[in-house]
Amino acid sequence: DAKTTQPPSMDCAEGRAANLPCNHSTISGNEYVYWYRQIHSQGPQYIIHGLKNNETNEMASLIITEDRKSSTLILPHATLRDTAVYYCIVRVNYGGSQGNLIFGKGTKLSVKP
Amino acid sequence: DSGVTQTPKHLITATGQRVTLRCSPRSGDLSVYWYQQSLDQGLQFLIHYYNGEERAKGNILERFSAQQFPDLHSELNLSSLELGDSALYFCASSVSAGGSYNEQFFGPGTRLTVL
């Protein structure tokens, strides 16, 4: 089972920041938080990942709380093309670990004009 | 474009039949993962190969099998097909087997319809 809890759906106005929350209260010290998204029926797309520090790349920012029990993915200026299902996934990142991803139900983000 | 290719894009077949789905990973990636996405089950991990060897199995039925060839492409074989096998099948690839930084790149998927 997925180790994360996300709201099933969210709306966001075009041009505004989209803040997608994720609860992972049972996260272990060696588990990373990953975010992927799936646009319509395309293959999922990697967005960002982090361990405990906040991370930023060209797509998004990831804010992880100090106790690491929750995180927020921030899309700074959402566009209509960001409409997708966003998946928050926790997994370990050490040699010998299983690399597969365990997807939950995700959050369906609808960006509206 | 993720660099991962999957063929065919669409496949329509009948119950009881056998099909083969093909995946070519990104250049340099040694890991191939297979996932199934159906309406009621969501995205489910099926199986993982790394450099030709099976590394992990998920919710893969005994009627399904996979392999990774020396050129690193992979095939997923589905036999004795049932209506419930209708789904999107995704392949993903990554450089490593699960260690540090294991971003997975997903292909466009194969949509299987069993009639």
Side-chain angles (χ1 to χ4, degrees), chain A residues 32-75:
Chain A
Y32 284 66
V33 180
Y34 279 78
W35 284 83
Y36 280 75
R37 73 179 182 183
Q38 186 175 25
I39 296 172
H40 194 44
S41 293
Q42 298 176 22
Q45 176 190 24
Y46 165 83
I47 302 173
I48 199 167
H49 77 283
L51 181 63
K52 51 186 173 182
N53 298 320
N54 297 338
E55 302 287 344
T56 295
N57 62 19
E58 65 279 2
M59 286 182 70
S61 294
L62 174 60
I63 309 297
I64 302 174
T65 58
E66 197 167 334
D67 63 7
R68 302 209 324 120
K69 293 186 177 183
S70 66
S71 60
T72 301
L73 178 74
I74 301 173
L75 307 178

Side-chain angles (χ1 to χ4, degrees), chain B residues 36 60-66 76-79 81 85 89:
Chain B
Q36 178 194 56
I60 188 166
L61 301 170
E62 285 191 15
R63 299 183 286 109
F64 295 2
S65 65
L76 179 66
N77 301 296
L78 315 176
S79 61
L81 285 168
D85 298 327
Y89 290 84

